[in-house]
Amino acid sequence: MILPPNDPTDRAPERVSVLALSVRGLVKRFGKTDALGGVDIEVQSGQIVGLLGPNGAGKSTLTKIACGLVRSTSGKVEIFGAGAGSRQACRAIGYLAELFRYPGWLTADEVLRLHQRLAGSGGGPGERGRLLERVGLSAVAGKRVGAMSKGMQQRLGVAQALVGSPRLLLLDEPTSALDPGGRRDMRFLLEELRSEGVAVLLNSHLLSEVELVCDHVVIVDRGHVVEAGRLEELARSRGVEVELASGVRLFEGMGRDEVPELVERLVAEGERIYGVRVRSATLEEVYLDVVAEDGE
Amino acid sequence: MRSTWVVFGYALCESLRRRVFHAGLVLTVVFLSLYGLGCSFVNVSQVYIGPASRVVKVDVYAAATVLGLAVFATYFFGVSLAIFLTISAVRGDAEQGVLQSLIVRPLTRWQFLLGRLLAAVAVAVFYVAIVFAAALAITQVTLGWTPRHALAAGLEIGAAIAVVAVVSMLSSVYLSGVANGIGVFMLFGAGLFGGLLGQIGGVVNSHKLEQTATIVRYVTPFEWLYQSSLGRLIEGENGVTEMVIRLGPFGGSVQGGTVVWLWSAVYVLAMGGATVLAFARRDL
């Protein structure tokens, strides 16, 4: 499913949209198992796209193909017009894997220095200091990874992904080990990156997090995109809740436009109305709906 | 090539900071100390024994025998180190999540492999060179004997270690750490066994056994290089002395010559090429 570029109502500031990630007809088979069965996704610069789906849906496989870690069976994946896995594509991306580990004998600063050298970044100590500060690790720059908590290592992973100022970030469960404060910091960081024009593909199981930070959502199930669009589009009406003397009644299938007629009808029927609320579906409800539908 | 050297530097630091390397150093110091002690206990009261036509140079025999044992230990330590430094290079590191963040950087997979391999070979060969030189020095100081072609022998042991590292690197693409370690050690054992078969074949004059040993040499050229290095160590000794020396650890020695080097080069290139191809096709 191809997503439209940001419109003016999106949270990102106006800027020229560049296609950061283009996935077309992507198929991946592991033996006889179809991990991805023809996926289309686009991510524009300055856009945060949430990639959702149950375990085994193919989210990580998709992300890994975009990074060049996994070869596709067929289809086309391009990063700023360059084939996934090519040097040009690798220069443009930052990646944090779901399962990652840095050698315990390296310090946080050394991890970033190694990645600077591999990425060909000339940022030097200044860039390392800025990145560590950005993820809240400046006080432990000299601490060995082996002595860090899982949450600190995940913050370091995010800093590592930002080495060389990538234009596309591919984050696979970047907050799985973070506490609520850490998740909030990550949200702020992603919002900052969006304002800088960085494109982000955020693979997460935390729907509330995706709801708070993403412009677009793609829901994948068993290798297929089952729903995609802007959050506003997905949050379709679930009906109108009316608080009556007898209790709260939900009028399903109704929207904002039907409220005046509904209220008029109820008053005519002799009901006393204490409150009216149009209910929109939460991302969780949308997700559970489409995943359950697809599973039937 | 810049990326290769970055990976080389990283892998070199990793190798030197590994516990197995530090434990190996301690064990090596213990080994060399015990070797020195053992050599000092060797008491050669007679330099020559036997009639003039069948003279045995006892001092050479004693020194060569203990040095042969030390060379085997050096070879074994070097092989172990080369295996430990490469067993998890690909699949093991990928399973732990170490590899992915490095591979997504703008470097090709063969550059990554080359950097890691060069670092493992550098550490293992340097280690072997030091231990071999120390064993030679101890033998010279305590028993007053140094082989005539020690340098050539040392080079062949070093080359054998490099070949083992290449084999281990290839199998690390397919096997996880422990399985790879077991597999390469089994191959190493097969090489030693082939050498023994050749030795037995020579004694009982069995053409089949000798033929089997030759095939094993081609399959495990690191063993062939080791046997050739043993041959270098006793090159120049002849007559009954050589015959007596061959009853000990030099029984499996051969004259490898240029063929062993050429075959090893072909083997390394083939294994290296296979590793690059296998890694390029591997999903991480």
Side-chain angles (χ1 to χ4, degrees), chain B:
Chain B
M1 282 302 280
R2 199 187 61 82
S3 302
T4 301
W5 292 117
V6 174
V7 176
F8 172 80
Y10 156 73
L12 196 67
C13 288
E14 186 190 35
S15 305
L16 298 177
R17 292 201 212 180
R18 278 192 179 207
R19 279 190 190 150
V20 65
F21 184 76
H22 296 153
L25 281 185
V26 172
L27 287 174
T28 304
V29 171
V30 171
F31 160 70
L32 288 173
S33 306
L34 289 174
Y35 178 65
L37 192 67
C39 284
S40 67
F41 286 154
V42 175
N43 183 12
V44 183
S45 54
Q46 262 185 302
V47 175
Y48 300 111
I49 57 171
S53 59
R54 291 181 184 177
V55 71
V56 175
K57 291 185 264 182
V58 181
D59 57 339
V60 173
Y61 163 70
T65 301
V66 289
L67 181 65
L69 292 170
V71 167
F72 175 74
T74 306
Y75 172 55
F76 179 74
F77 291 156
V79 165
S80 305
L81 190 59
I83 293 173
F84 277 115
L85 295 180
T86 48
I87 48 172
S88 294
V90 177
R91 187 167 163 182
D93 274 4
E95 283 175 350
Q96 294 203 1
V98 176
L99 201 60
Q100 287 82 346
S101 67
L102 302 172
I103 293 297
V104 297
R105 293 297 174 192
L107 78 161
T108 55
R109 291 189 177 192
W110 71 261
Q111 285 176 320
F112 176 84
L113 280 178
L114 186 62
R116 284 217 64 148
L117 178 67
L118 288 177
V121 168
V123 171
V125 170
F126 181 71
Y127 166 84
V128 162
I130 296 294
V131 179
F132 183 63
L136 285 176
I138 291 169
T139 312
Q140 175 59 43
V141 169
T142 54
L143 298 166
W145 182 76
T146 299
R148 292 187 184 94
H149 302 283
L151 182 62
L155 284 174
E156 287 185 331
I157 295 172
I161 303 306
V163 175
V164 171
V166 173
V167 172
S168 179
M169 190 65 93
L170 170 62
S171 45
S172 83
V173 178
Y174 298 102
L175 303 172
S176 58
V178 176
N180 187 24
I182 292 169
V184 182
F185 266 116
M186 284 176 76
L187 192 66
F188 170 68
L192 288 178
F193 189 66
L196 281 174
L197 285 182
Q199 201 173 339
I200 295 165
V203 172
V204 301
N205 202 20
S206 164
H207 180 63
K208 276 194 176 172
L209 282 181
E210 286 184 325
Q211 209 171 23
T212 307
T214 304
I215 292 167
V216 174
R217 267 183 220 125
Y218 277 94
V219 176
T220 58
F222 46 86
E223 178 64 21
W224 193 0
L225 282 161
Y226 167 67
Q227 291 169 1
S228 180
S229 78
L230 292 181
R232 300 267 189 202
L233 287 174
I234 54 170
E235 212 172 299
E237 301 305 331
N238 44 37
V240 184
T241 305
E242 188 202 0
M243 197 188 77
V244 174
I245 287 174
R246 281 185 185 279
L247 294 175
F250 291 92
S253 66
V254 296
Q255 300 297 319
T258 317
V259 181
V260 67
W261 281 97
L262 282 175
W263 175 246
S264 298
V266 169
Y267 188 89
V268 163
L269 285 174
M271 286 281 171
T275 309
V276 169
L277 283 177
F279 189 33
R281 296 176 61 82
R282 178 153 193 92
D283 287 338
L284 299 170

